[in-house]
């Protein structure tokens, strides 16, 4: 069940939201709900990424190393030709 709340927006903000909701074929409530969910997810993912970085994990470097290792195996096994 949806919670009913009273919110206040500036005129400019609510007009933009109405325009985007109409463009997306959504009700204003549905559009604002989606926008709030997306913002909340961005906050969670940003916090998660910060925690990973502060723990000293370098996922990009690990992924690049894995890719290089795969290329080395391909070179050894197939003479550089990637398997289909």
């Amino acid at each position: 069940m949806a919670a009913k709340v009273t919110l206040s927006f500036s005129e400019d903000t609510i007009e933009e939201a109405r325009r985007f909701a109409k463009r997306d074929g959504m009700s204003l409530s549905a559009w604002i709900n989606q926008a709030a969910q997306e913002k909340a997810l961005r906050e969670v993912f940003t916090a998660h990424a910060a925690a990973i970085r502060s723990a000293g994990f370098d996922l990009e470097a690990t992924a690049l190393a894995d890719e290089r290792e795969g290329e080395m195996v391909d070179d050894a096994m197939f003479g550089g030709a990637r398997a289909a």
Side-chain angles (χ1 to χ4, degrees):
M1 177 172 209
K4 300 278 184 178
V5 296
T6 301
L7 302 170
S8 298
F9 297 94
S10 71
E11 288 295 323
D12 290 341
T13 298
I14 202 65
E15 285 307 314
E16 286 290 308
R18 284 186 178 119
R19 186 170 60 82
F20 289 131
K22 183 177 180 179
R23 177 201 67 191
D24 294 345
M26 303 171 77
S27 70
L28 179 60
S29 291
W31 191 87
I32 289 174
N33 184 67
Q34 180 178 311
Q37 287 176 336
E38 289 172 359
K39 173 66 173 167
L41 284 174
R42 280 193 303 275
E43 293 288 330
V44 168
F45 287 129
T46 298
H48 178 72
I52 293 293
R53 280 192 303 276
S54 70
F57 295 115
D58 188 347
L59 299 179
E60 184 176 1
T62 301
L64 290 172
D66 287 349
E67 184 177 353
R68 283 191 299 273
E69 185 176 327
E71 290 169 354
M72 289 173 24
V73 169
D74 283 349
D75 285 346
M77 294 181 68
F78 307 110
R82 281 276 199 195

